[in-house]
């Protein structure tokens, strides 16, 4: 039984935490949230230089080859500080899609750029309301040109490469890789609940694009990419939920009402105990996801779904009860509580909401049970 | 990360598997073992026989010292054995309190001669032990207990009443905490003993539970004479000894109580909602997923604790969440199962109710799990205070002499 990260990876965690404590304070998050920038470029470059972006990318493609467990650690630490960088989009979605579906030429051409932070990738599955659904993707790739519309696309304003859930000439589901720097692309920034992770609408009008993976496999590939991302994002969510509990606990120890710390009242104590319980369940499920992702286990879908559901619910609970514990102060722009409240909901929606993953989880249980 | 056994662990697991395969029958989802029905004499006999077999094969005191018939193995071996035994329908429960709490307390405080006399018979299943802590005056606040112990030469005379004592009616020995000095604050005036449940003056009256069965008792003490040699710990140090007992309670390897997710999956295939199997219904699927995440979350939390143990580290506090999550989950799953059955959910006849009335039994059993061994509220307090370092509740009785403290009518 060895169900925890190795000492080496825990050192990576310490290193990441120290770096982020200096380079990703709430001031940095706010400069993106309140300003014109769509991400913190200095932090992004720093992350690339430290080898974090390429943590799970094999060395032959310019990565650090630490495997997915290493990337899980990075994701958790970024989640703790609500980092304003396109990490989820570029690394957890686009780079994972290329590693999973790309041929060796595509991997060689694309992954180095992602690892170096030179290219920002993203993945566009949504077309307005709804969760991922088979045969629902309308953009068409015809003769190397993509036409159609996607929204919301995470970091769609800053990305230069976009993996698009689409169909080919024959109407078969495919993943297409579009070059957003080329012509025929209109990007419209969207007002969102968390401007520190911007979203865009992208209209493709004959945008140069190539196919990623086999024709007809698009839906299966998308699901596999989302499974992988679900584990990584679960760690990001877990990091955020952990920070929320720490903030709420610290405030409950310091803030006095009726002559004693509010943390002495059971309504607050039991609320925070419930947050602790949810966070620990989420952590344990996320670890199982990390194991499944790292080893390529057949249980990946089930593990990823459980990790996703647990982490989404834990982060939502922790972030809303953090505000509640802070009282009026928690509702202000000046307090940091809302950075996490926004992020928890954003991450909970970005690859399909909890309901979608619960359904996926039970479908897995059914097939496993039938086998 | 990996879930691999070491060579030694794998050998042990294989040995446990072989033992179980040769001596026990596998559990069946379709015909669960009833928990709600009465514990009858023949079930005690069956439990004793099983315990003796386990002992003979070396699976009774896996972590215990060799001199007491144990194997002196690390705690992870307990978990390995439990993982294997979980697949089998074996009589459980009768020895948990004795071997999990009473004998470990004895090991910390009893004399070598006493241990020589009592440990072996307990481990072999020949003698059963109970825990006499809770009283009408206090369960959560057990230190508010009032059962008196007064010194009389080489003996103590015990008078008073315990309550909710699991198994007292079939137990041979018990550990008891008493008030020896009511003139000092409550924690300072307690003294701890073990005693023969057949001593003159001990009377057990089974209490009928909401499930209709009687697993626990009121125990009355009228001038019960206990030799001072059976005192555990110093006079007035009973609270410290009690803590030893309660710490061991938290180390127990709990099994997943049923009905759980597997049972709900089975049920939702048997039952229709709106003309199709319940499992096709979106709301039903969401519930199944929620509980799956809790069950798995607890399982992997235990694995994290085991990993720390096997790395020689002190485990974090994460396992403190287990009972609180399990108890409510059980109650919620049982209740939801009945909802799905509609009006037939009322029917508890095992011939008619799905899965032999497992869900109905769960409904009536689960409230006890939220109370026994620390209530939901007390466990949340413990997490808040010990794990999150939040301030302790205000305790108005802490520094007052016990006989000056206010108490209610109940
Ligand atoms: C099935 C079963 C088996 C048991 N077996 C044994 C046994 O073998 N030996 C034994 O000694 N005992 C046993 N018990 C007793 C058990 O430990 C107590 O019932 C339990 O500790 C609660 O105590 P109480 O019943 O006095 O309830 P109370 O302590 O009176 O609690 C009543 C309510 O008040 C709440 N409450 C109490 N104090 C606080 C507080 N400080 N803050 C917030 N809420 C509070 C409780 O959470 C509960 O909801 C058993 C109980 C059950 C149900």
């Amino acid at each position: 039984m060895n169900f925890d990260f190795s000492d080496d990876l825990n050192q990576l965690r310490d290193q990441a935490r120290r770096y982020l404590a200096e380079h990703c304070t709430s001031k940095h998050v706010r400069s993106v949230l309140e300003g014109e920038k769509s991400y913190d470029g200095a932090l992004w470059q720093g992350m690339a230089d430290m080898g974090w972006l390429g943590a799970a990318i094999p060395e032959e493609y310019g990565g650090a080859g630490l495997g997915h467990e290493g990337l899980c650690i990075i994701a958790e630490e970024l989640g703790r500080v609500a980092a304003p960088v396109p990490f989820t989009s570029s690394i957890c979605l686009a780079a994972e899609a290329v590693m999973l579906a790309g041929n060796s030429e595509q991997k060689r051409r694309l992954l180095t750029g992602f690892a170096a932070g030179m290219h920002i990738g993203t993945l566009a599955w949504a077309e307005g309301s709804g969760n991922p659904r088979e045969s629902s993707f309308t953009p068409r790739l015809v003769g190397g040109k993509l036409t159609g519309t996607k929204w919301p696309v995470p970091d769609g304003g800053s990305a230069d490469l976009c993996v698009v859930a689409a169909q080919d000439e024959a109407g078969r589901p495919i993943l297409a890789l579009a070059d957003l720097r080329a012509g025929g692309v209109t990007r419209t920034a969207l007002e969102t609940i968390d401007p520190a992770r911007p979203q865009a609408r992208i209209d493709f009008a004959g945008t140069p694009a190539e196919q990623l993976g086999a024709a007809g496999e698009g839906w299966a590939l998308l699901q596999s990419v989302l499974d992988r991302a679900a584990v990584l994002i679960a760690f990001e969510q877990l990091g955020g939920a952990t920070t929320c509990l720490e903030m709420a606990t610290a405030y409950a120890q310091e803030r006095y009402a009726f002559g004693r710390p509010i943390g002495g009242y059971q309504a607050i104590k039991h609320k925070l105990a419930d947050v602790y319980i949810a966070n620990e369940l989420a952590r344990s499920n996320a670890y199982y996801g990390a194991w499944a992702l790292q080893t390529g286990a057949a249980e990946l879908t089930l593990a990823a779904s459980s990790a996703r559901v647990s982490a989404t619910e834990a982060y939502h609970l922790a972030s809303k009860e953090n505000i509640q514990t802070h009282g009026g102060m928690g509702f202000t722009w000046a307090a940091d509580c809302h950075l996490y409240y926004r992020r928890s909901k954003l991450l909970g929606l970005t690859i399909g909401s909890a309901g979608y993953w619960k359904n996926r989880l039970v479908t897995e249980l059914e097939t496993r049970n039938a086998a | 990360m990996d879930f691999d056994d070491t060579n030694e662990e794998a050998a042990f697991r294989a040995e446990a598997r072989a033992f179980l395969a040769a001596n026990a029958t596998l559990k069946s989802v379709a015909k669960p073992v009833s928990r709600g029905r009465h514990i009858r004499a023949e079930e005690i006999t069956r439990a004793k026989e099983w315990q003796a077999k386990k002992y003979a094969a070396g699976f009774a005191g896996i972590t215990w010292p060799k001199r007491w018939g144990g194997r002196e193995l690390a705690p992870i071996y307990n978990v390995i054995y439990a993982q294997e035994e979980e697949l089998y329908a074996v009589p459980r429960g009768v020895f948990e309190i004795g071997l999990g709490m009473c004998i470990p307390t004895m090991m910390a405080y009893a004399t070598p001669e006493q241990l020589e006399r009592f440990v072996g018979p307990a481990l072999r299943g020949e003698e059963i032990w109970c825990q006499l802590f809770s009283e009408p005056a206090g369960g959560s606040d057990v230190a508010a207990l009032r059962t008196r112990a007064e010194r009389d030469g080489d003996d103590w005379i015990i008078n008073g009443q315990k309550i909710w004592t699991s198994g007292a009616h079939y137990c041979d020995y018990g550990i008891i905490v008493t008030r020896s000095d009511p003139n000092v604050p409550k924690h300072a005036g307690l003294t701890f003993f073990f005693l023969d449940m057949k001593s003159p003056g001990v009377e057990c009256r089974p209490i009928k539970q909401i499930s209709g069965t009687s697993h626990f008792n009121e125990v009355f003490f009228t001038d019960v004479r206990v030799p001072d040699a059976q005192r555990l710990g110093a006079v007035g140090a009973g609270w410290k000894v009690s803590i030893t007992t309660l710490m061991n309670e938290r180390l127990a390897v709990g099994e997943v109580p049923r009905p759980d997710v597997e049972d709900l999956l089975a049920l939702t295939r048997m039952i229709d909602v709106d003309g199709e199997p319940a499992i096709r219904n979106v709301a039903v699927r969401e519930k199944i997923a929620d509980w799956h995440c809790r069950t798995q979350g607890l399982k992997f939390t235990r694995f994290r604790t085991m990993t720390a143990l096997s790395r020689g580290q002190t485990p974090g506090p994460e396992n403190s969440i287990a009972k609180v999550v399990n108890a409510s989950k059980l109650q919620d799953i049982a209740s939801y199962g009945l909802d799905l059955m509609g009006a037939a959910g009322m029917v508890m006849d095992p011939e008619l109710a799905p899965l032999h009335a497992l869900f109905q039994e769960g409904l009536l059993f689960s409230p006890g799990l939220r109370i026994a061994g620390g209530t939901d509220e007390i466990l949340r307090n413990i997490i808040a205070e010990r794990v999150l370092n939040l301030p302790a509740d205000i305790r108005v009785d802490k520094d007052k002499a016990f006989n000056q403290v206010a108490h209610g009518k109940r």
Side-chain angles (χ1 to χ4, degrees), chain A residues 1-7 10 69 235 245 248-250 252-253 260-266 268-274 276-277 279-285 287-288 290-291 294-295 302 305-307 309-310 313 354-370, chain B residues 1-6 9 13 76 83 261-262 265-266 269 279-280 282 284-290 292-304 306-308 310-311 313 316-321 324-325 376-381 383-385 387-394:
Chain A
M1 177 71 49
N2 194 15
F3 191 60
D4 200 346
F5 293 101
S6 67
D7 289 345
N10 281 324
E69 285 187 14
F235 276 90
L245 179 58
T249 307
Q253 285 159 340
R260 59 190 311 244
I262 57 167
Y265 296 108
Q266 287 192 353
I268 298 286
K269 287 166 86 163
H270 291 194
K271 177 202 297 302
L272 298 185
D274 284 337
Y276 175 79
I277 290 169
N279 283 3
E280 289 306 312
L281 292 174
R283 179 171 296 281
S284 300
N285 282 320
Y287 280 24
Y288 184 49
W291 167 81
Q294 173 80 36
T295 58
L302 187 59
S305 307
S306 310
V309 170
S310 277
E313 295 190 341
Y356 168 79
W357 288 95
K358 288 179 185 179
N359 187 42
R360 185 152 171 73
L361 189 161
V362 176
T363 305
E364 260 325 276
L365 283 182
E366 287 177 281
T367 41
R368 196 187 56 168
N369 237 249
Chain B
M1 294 184 195
D2 64 65
F3 300 105
D4 303 343
D5 288 335
T6 62
E9 288 163 2
R13 191 186 293 278
I76 186 147
Q83 281 175 341
V261 175
E262 296 292 319
L265 278 172
R269 289 198 168 99
I279 193 163
R280 306 259 39 92
V282 176
V284 172
R285 294 170 81 79
E286 294 213 350
K287 294 278 194 185
I288 293 173
D290 285 339
H292 172 84
C293 290
R294 284 194 186 60
T295 300
Q296 295 298 303
L298 283 185
K299 171 176 163 188
F300 294 119
T301 300
R302 206 160 61 234
F303 283 10
R304 285 166 54 204
M306 280 162 56
T307 298
S310 70
R311 286 182 184 179
Q313 299 160 347
E318 63 276 349
N319 225 12
S320 62
I321 69 176
V324 114
V325 174
D376 281 5
E377 292 75 20
I378 293 297
L379 293 178
R380 283 189 169 81
N381 255 12
I383 291 172
E385 293 175 18
V387 183
L388 302 178
N389 279 320
L390 292 172
D393 287 358
I394 289 173

Side-chain angles (χ1 to χ4, degrees), chain A residues 116-156:
Chain A
M118 269 162 43
H119 291 311
I120 294 175
T122 188
L123 182 144
W125 60 266
E127 301 175 22
S129 292
N131 281 313
R133 198 161 51 80
E134 191 168 9
S135 318
S136 68
F137 305 114
T138 57
R140 294 194 126 217
L141 180 65
V142 180
K145 306 268 183 210
L146 185 71
T147 303
T149 297
K150 288 282 183 183
W151 72 272
V153 181
D155 300 296

Side-chain angles (χ1 to χ4, degrees), chain A residues 136-272:
Chain A
S136 68
F137 305 114
T138 57
R140 294 194 126 217
L141 180 65
V142 180
K145 306 268 183 210
L146 185 71
T147 303
T149 297
K150 288 282 183 183
W151 72 272
V153 181
D155 300 296
S158 49
D160 30 43
L161 291 163
C162 183
V163 179
V164 182
Q167 42 181 284
D168 69 1
E169 286 180 57
R172 292 174 298 184
I174 55 160
L175 291 184
L177 180 73
D179 186 347
L180 299 181
R181 294 155 304 183
V185 176
T186 311
R187 317 183 196 212
T188 316
L190 303 175
E191 189 180 340
T192 68
I193 55 172
D194 181 8
R197 286 280 173 91
Q199 311 285 317
R201 169 191 164 114
I202 304 186
D203 291 292
F204 302 95
T207 312
E210 59 193 295
Q211 196 171 308
L212 204 57
E217 301 269 294
W219 173 239
L221 286 172
L222 179 69
Q223 285 186 302
S224 299
V225 173
L226 295 184
D227 282 350
R228 290 157 165 251
V231 173
L232 298 167
I233 295 171
F235 276 90
E236 198 178 341
Q237 293 169 308
L238 182 61
T242 308
T243 299
C244 290
L245 179 58
E246 288 172 3
M247 285 170 74
T249 307
Y251 193 78
Q253 285 159 340
E254 288 161 12
R255 170 74 180 169
Y256 275 62
F258 303 97
R260 59 190 311 244
I262 57 167
Y265 296 108
Q266 287 192 353
I268 298 286
K269 287 166 86 163
H270 291 194
K271 177 202 297 302
L272 298 185

Side-chain angles (χ1 to χ4, degrees), chain A residues 266, chain B residues 97 131 133-134 138-140 164 166 216 368 371-372 375 377-378:
Chain A
Q266 287 192 353
Chain B
I97 290 174
Q131 176 208 5
F133 278 27
S134 302
S140 303
W164 323 129
S166 299
F216 59 25
I371 296 164
T375 64
E377 292 75 20
I378 293 297

